[in-house]
Amino acid sequence: MEKGVVKQLNELLETQYCDAEDAAEHGSRLKDLADTFLREFDLNDEARVHGALSDVNRLKILKLLGFREMCVCELTAALDMNQPNLSYHIKKLDSAGLVRSEKRGKWVYYSIHG
């Protein structure tokens, strides 16, 4: 990230918007700097990760996978969840890049991606 933008943004924010001599100019500069600053982030990816973490069942899956990799049958038993429901939650976690899968024979094992 360009340090100049962060420095300019910090300097601009030392003056409150309401206290600026020219609020329109202050607002315009703030918008331009904020746009430049925020361009550095993949906010869609961050939103996908936060969305995946926003469900209690998905958090439970991640906590269990923190112990070790687990197959689908173990996860369904541990969570008292049917396989289609588990697959739905695993797909959300996988789409967010939080878990990985490995097929071994007829079973699929999941682990935390990292």
Side-chain angles (χ1 to χ4, degrees), residues 8-24:
Q8 290 176 47
L9 195 53
N10 279 327
E11 288 172 358
L12 184 66
L13 291 173
E14 286 176 4
T15 302
Q16 296 292 324
Y17 184 81
C18 299
D19 296 333
E21 288 181 29
D22 185 344

Side-chain angles (χ1 to χ4, degrees), residues 29-95:
R29 266 191 79 213
L30 179 57
K31 182 188 180 322
D32 290 344
L33 288 170
D35 286 346
T36 302
F37 174 74
L38 293 171
R39 236 178 292 169
E40 298 291 324
F41 301 97
D42 184 351
L43 296 176
N44 289 323
D45 187 51
E46 287 188 40
R48 192 170 22 261
V49 170
H50 287 282
L53 295 173
S54 68
D55 182 88
V56 171
N57 287 314
R58 293 191 282 271
L59 291 173
K60 288 177 181 179
I61 292 167
L62 289 174
K63 292 290 186 188
L64 288 172
L65 294 178
F67 283 102
R68 67 170 176 85
E69 70 176 9
M70 298 177 82
C71 70
V72 171
C73 61
E74 290 174 316
L75 288 168
T76 56
L79 298 169
D80 193 26
M81 188 181 292
N82 63 41
Q83 189 274 326
N85 196 9
L86 178 71
S87 292
Y88 169 80
H89 291 296
I90 289 286
K91 184 177 178 181
K92 292 280 190 180
L93 294 169
D94 184 51
S95 293

